[in-house]
Amino acid sequence: YRRFDGREQENFPDAAQIQTLHAWDARARLMTFQKTGNALKREMRWVGSYRYACLNLAAESEAELLEKYRLASAILGFPVRL
């Protein structure tokens, strides 16, 4: 999950959302990267975007992976961007 507008990501999943994600798919792995202030500005300057989360999902096909991405994003409260 990535932002290109330079603004902080304000909404991160809470414990209940993460528990729901793992109940839905025990193999799903989520890492979040909460950056603010100078750290965010530095990443935007160097990379031109800000990675605020990384989600690892497994699927048998591309179509299944896209569907799982949509469902996981809804569970986590993150926008779907394709």
Side-chain angles (χ1 to χ4, degrees):
Y1 296 93
R2 190 170 285 279
R3 291 190 75 131
F4 295 89
D5 60 8
R7 296 183 5 229
E8 289 180 29
Q9 177 64 26
E10 296 177 358
N11 299 319
F12 284 89
D14 59 24
Q17 288 169 298
I18 293 171
Q19 184 177 13
T20 300
L21 175 70
H22 288 139
W24 171 71
D25 183 346
R27 297 183 304 169
R29 297 291 176 259
L30 175 70
M31 295 177 289
T32 59
F33 310 99
Q34 299 179 12
K35 291 188 179 177
T36 61
N38 288 334
L40 176 58
K41 289 177 186 176
R42 183 174 50 251
E43 186 159 341
M44 289 300 299
R45 185 175 58 244
W46 290 350
V47 182
S49 63
Y50 161 49
R51 180 176 66 172
Y52 59 90
C54 183
L55 177 64
N56 187 296
L57 296 169
E60 296 292 324
S61 68
E62 182 179 357
E64 181 186 354
L65 183 61
L66 289 173
E67 183 59 24
K68 287 181 81 170
Y69 163 68
R70 287 183 182 98
L71 291 170
S73 295
I75 290 169
L76 299 170
F78 289 152
V80 173
R81 294 188 176 109
L82 297 174

